[in-house]
Amino acid sequence: MAYRRKITNVLNDFTEFVNRGNVVDLAVAVVVGGAFSKVVDALVKLVTTAVMDPVLLKLKVETLSAVPGGTLLVSMVNFLVIAFVVFIVVRAIERFKRKEEAKAATAPNPQQDLADAVERLAIALESRKL
């Protein structure tokens, strides 16, 4: 009986841990990052084959990895492409947030409008001595 209670407590603690939100967000980020990595690798291969193939043919090298430091070069290109895409995404998100903040700042405040209307009404009533 005590063994079952311990297992139930562990499972409850684990469920609470997973449901906090950060773990789920992190898991989603890892999965999306893995898929994104494959897309970037394909893009880098496309770019390197289009740009580097003529150079590699002149050097009589079959692949970029065959060149000394070639794998490092491929990794650096991957990093630059990933960093640039993340930069573009973050920049777009920040621009969107700024637009939302600007909308919120310029949106009329109903409470302030009501207070202004009451004040104008009070002034009008006083001027007419009602």
Side-chain angles (χ1 to χ4, degrees), residues 62-85:
E62 206 170 297
T63 63
L64 190 57
S65 341
V67 175
T71 54
L72 177 63
L73 184 62
V74 169
S75 297
M76 288 173 54
V77 170
N78 280 346
F79 171 76
L80 289 174
V81 169
I82 291 170
F84 182 72
V85 171

Side-chain angles (χ1 to χ4, degrees), residues 15-77:
T15 305
E16 183 181 320
F17 171 75
V18 169
N19 288 332
R20 282 187 191 160
N22 295 341
V23 175
V24 175
D25 292 343
L26 182 59
V28 168
V30 168
V31 170
V32 170
F36 183 68
S37 174
K38 291 178 183 179
V39 171
V40 169
D41 283 341
L43 178 66
V44 168
K45 285 179 185 175
L46 177 71
V47 169
T48 54
T49 55
V51 173
M52 297 295 293
D53 270 354
V55 175
L56 292 174
L57 287 174
K58 286 186 179 183
L59 294 173
K60 296 180 183 175
V61 177
E62 206 170 297
T63 63
L64 190 57
S65 341
V67 175
T71 54
L72 177 63
L73 184 62
V74 169
S75 297
M76 288 173 54
V77 170

Side-chain angles (χ1 to χ4, degrees), residues 103-125:
K103 282 182 184 178
T106 60
N109 184 352
Q111 284 185 323
Q112 186 62 41
D113 291 345
L114 184 59
D116 292 342
V118 168
E119 189 175 318
R120 286 192 307 270
L121 180 61
I123 291 170
L125 289 174

